[in-house]
Amino acid sequence: MYSFLREGEFVQITVEDEGRVTGFVSRYGDSDSDRGAFLDQFFKQGKLDGTKLTFTTDTVHAVWFDFKGTIDRGEGKTLEDEAYYVVQGTLTESHTDANKKVTSKSQEVKFKSFPRDM
């Protein structure tokens, strides 16, 4: 489990056989219809190749995420420390409006692993 964009949000990443990645993003909704509601967005696809990590979430309430970056060791000394692992790269958030127009916003992110005992 890793931090996500805001306090209380997180992303869970599970590496399976042959570099296949599953998981989900748990985040607060931003639109008028879901503002403040907790939303889970499962990965539609994900892959880990060495330290290169990519994933795309399912669309929930007209929003989805694409991530391209790396997963590396962080400054945490043990698995019980925050940031033992760090996921960093480019996160693109895409929205579809009522007219089916897609707008996207990319940002550089750094997600720190939660302590293992949480």
Side-chain angles (χ1 to χ4, degrees):
M1 290 244 247
Y2 296 82
S3 58
F4 197 56
L5 297 175
R6 294 186 283 184
E7 182 72 32
E9 297 181 331
F10 63 91
V11 57
Q12 180 171 319
I13 300 168
T14 303
V15 179
E16 299 185 358
D17 293 337
E18 299 171 8
R20 183 171 165 258
V21 172
T22 60
F24 61 94
V25 169
S26 284
R27 66 176 187 88
Y28 295 109
D30 290 325
S31 69
D32 291 337
S33 65
D34 64 13
R35 191 169 319 282
F38 216 58
L39 306 174
D40 289 334
Q41 292 183 254
F42 288 88
F43 291 2
K44 183 168 30 177
Q45 61 189 33
K47 183 168 179 59
L48 180 66
D49 184 9
T51 62
K52 293 180 182 169
L53 175 68
T54 59
F55 64 79
T56 301
T57 68
D58 285 330
T59 303
V60 173
H61 295 206
V63 177
W64 69 96
F65 294 93
D66 287 299
F67 176 82
K68 289 181 177 57
T70 61
I71 183 167
D72 289 302
R73 278 280 286 112
E75 61 267 14
K77 303 291 183 230
T78 71
L79 288 170
E80 285 72 36
D81 295 331
E82 181 182 49
Y84 184 76
Y85 291 110
V86 175
V87 171
Q88 54 191 358
T90 303
L91 182 73
T92 303
E93 181 176 348
S94 299
H95 300 262
T96 305
D97 68 15
N99 298 321
K100 305 288 187 215
K101 181 178 181 230
V102 174
T103 57
S104 298
K105 178 180 85 171
S106 295
Q107 62 182 311
E108 292 302 306
V109 295
K110 183 176 185 178
F111 304 139
K112 298 177 180 180
S113 63
F114 291 153
R116 187 59 56 96
D117 61 2
M118 281 190 69

